[in-house]
Amino acid sequence: MNLHKKKKLPFKLYGAILFFLVCGGFCVAEISSVSRQSSRAELENLQSALERSAVHCYATEGVYPESLDYIRQHYGITWNPDKYVVDYEIIGSNLKPTITVIPLQRQEG
């Protein structure tokens, strides 16, 4: 008697395992896609919020904000400095500043 005889797995079990691996791969790909879309939306929302705050400041105070710190303090706009760098170029108190949000991690998509 051979007690160490290997049992073969039925073909249907291999098919089921393959099916679950493929489904898992699709799930991971979809989660990654949603994450990229979320990051892109976050970047666009930050850019838009900064620009709206600058325009709102001009409309209410007659001048554009003198710095990003002014926008943070008076308009409550915040962001993660480990995730984004914000470039704020002042042209003049009566000219709209150039605001650029730069992601520190690669934005795909």
Side-chain angles (χ1 to χ4, degrees), residues 30-106:
E30 189 62 28
I31 289 169
S32 178
S33 173
V34 168
S35 177
R36 283 190 304 272
Q37 290 172 357
S38 176
S39 293
R40 195 169 37 252
E42 183 180 6
L43 175 91
E44 291 169 2
N45 287 338
L46 176 57
Q47 178 84 35
S48 178
L50 289 165
E51 289 177 4
R52 278 192 318 267
S53 295
V55 170
H56 185 264
C57 180
Y58 184 77
T60 57
E61 300 178 29
V63 293
Y64 284 102
E66 60 201 34
S67 67
L68 282 172
D69 287 333
Y70 189 89
I71 291 176
R72 279 192 204 117
Q73 291 171 0
H74 293 86
Y75 295 93
I77 306 296
T78 61
W79 60 92
N80 183 348
D82 295 331
K83 199 169 183 181
Y84 301 107
V85 171
V86 179
D87 181 49
Y88 187 81
E89 292 184 44
I90 301 168
I91 300 166
S93 64
N94 63 342
L95 298 173
K96 186 176 176 188
T98 303
I99 304 170
T100 308
V101 179
I102 304 163
L104 293 176
Q105 292 129 1
R106 186 172 170 227

